[in-house]
Amino acid sequence: MTPILLTDTVSQDLDRVLGYAGLWGVEGIELRTIGGVQNRVPHVNERKLTSRLLDYDFPVLAIAPSLFEGLASDKAGWMNELAALPEILQFCRRVQCKTVVVSGFAEEEIFAVEWAAEALQRAGEASARVGVTLAVLNEPAMAHVTGAALADLLDLVDHEHVRAAWSPMTAWQAGEDPSAGLAELAHHVHLVRCRDAKREGDTWADTTLGEGGLGWSSHLAQLRRTGFEGLLSLEVFTDKPAKSGLRSATNLIRLARG
């Protein structure tokens, strides 16, 4: 298992977040936005990015562009996204990244699952040609928030370069037992988004990883039993990310080493 940091959950300042990543001991980064929410990969200052990555000697192990966030029934929309995919894959080549985290389409009254599968299959074919894996994330307010739902979609896609980006926290907040969701999804998992929280009535309070209620020790043990050796992408959403991020990263690295 390889602990990495989802950078913009800590800071939009690239120098600051790369400094933290080095101090915290993670082995790479996942990039989503740099400088501001409008600067989402691959539409970033690539010259500055490349320079900073060389300065800090840090690999980009995943990126999260805006891809497949719309309706699966909007075929024209996702066909346009497929047309833009080569630009994303070329960006991956330039920063030597092999994983692209994508969405699994927005929730709609009658979900067009066959079209969703077609879009992901086509994207998987394009990614496979350059050795990149797509990881479909279960996200809040989207069509596949649980492990069971995401597993159903990926079973239909049935492509070795289209895997899962598993967020047990999202599944838990949606009412699914994370261990049950992982049991459904296990053989698909390529990347895990790592975040912890405590439930306080009808609300959730983010905590340092390992100090909330998700049970990361047992969850990573369950992942280990499936043979998972992929990316553990740390999210830091607490009020003082610099302080809690160090503790979260330390706990994640310790748990990842078993």
Side-chain angles (χ1 to χ4, degrees):
M1 300 185 194
T2 304
I4 65 175
L5 176 65
L6 180 56
T7 58
D8 60 13
T9 64
V10 177
S11 174
Q12 295 282 357
D13 184 287
L14 187 60
D15 285 301
R16 178 179 298 175
V17 78
L18 288 173
Y20 285 148
L23 289 171
W24 295 350
V26 296
E27 298 178 36
I29 56 174
E30 178 184 350
L31 290 178
R32 185 168 52 191
T33 59
I34 303 170
V37 294
Q38 73 279 7
N39 303 122
R40 188 157 179 172
V41 291
H43 306 294
V44 297
N45 185 333
E46 194 172 329
R47 179 178 295 181
K48 179 180 179 180
L49 170 64
T50 303
S51 173
R52 293 299 185 268
L53 292 174
L54 288 172
D55 289 343
Y56 287 91
D57 192 24
F58 239 80
V60 178
L61 297 183
I63 66 169
S66 175
L67 198 65
F68 302 138
E69 295 179 344
L71 299 175
S73 60
D74 179 14
K75 189 171 184 178
W78 57 255
M79 286 292 288
N80 286 336
E81 292 184 293
L82 286 174
L85 180 58
E87 179 184 4
I88 294 170
L89 296 176
Q90 285 299 312
F91 177 84
C92 285
R93 181 187 60 79
R94 292 191 296 271
V95 299
Q96 301 180 35
C97 172
K98 296 294 185 181
T99 298
V100 176
V101 178
V102 303
S103 298
F105 295 98
E107 187 176 13
E108 52 186 315
E109 187 173 351
I110 300 176
F111 185 71
V113 64
E114 293 83 3
W115 281 3
E118 180 185 346
L120 290 168
Q121 286 166 348
R122 291 193 186 190
E125 288 296 322
S127 300
R129 288 193 287 269
V130 293
V132 169
T133 296
L134 301 183
V136 185
L137 179 65
N138 60 308
E139 295 175 281
M142 299 294 278
H144 304 90
V145 295
T146 64
L150 185 54
D152 287 343
L153 175 63
L154 294 178
D155 284 341
L156 186 61
V157 174
D158 191 25
H159 195 293
E160 64 178 349
H161 280 262
V162 182
R163 307 284 302 284
W166 168 232
S167 171
M169 176 58 63
T170 298
W172 187 27
Q173 291 176 324
E176 182 182 58
D177 180 345
S179 62
L182 178 56
E184 294 283 344
L185 195 62
H187 66 287
H188 290 295
V189 178
H190 180 75
L191 175 148
V192 179
R193 286 276 181 87
C194 302
R195 178 181 181 181
D196 212 344
K198 292 180 179 178
R199 189 165 190 170
E200 300 177 349
D202 294 330
T203 63
W204 299 82
D206 281 282
T207 69
T208 297
L209 188 132
E211 298 177 8
L214 195 140
W216 274 102
S217 178
S218 60
H219 204 72
L220 289 182
Q222 184 182 355
L223 273 165
R224 192 174 291 110
R225 289 193 295 271
T226 70
F228 173 77
E229 296 180 349
L231 303 174
L232 300 173
S233 185
L234 177 63
E235 300 178 305
V236 183
F237 287 110
T238 49
D239 290 338
K240 298 179 179 179
K243 183 176 180 180
S244 66
L246 173 60
R247 297 203 311 273
S248 291
T250 300
N251 290 343
L252 181 61
I253 292 166
R254 175 178 56 82
L255 292 171
R257 290 172 177 168

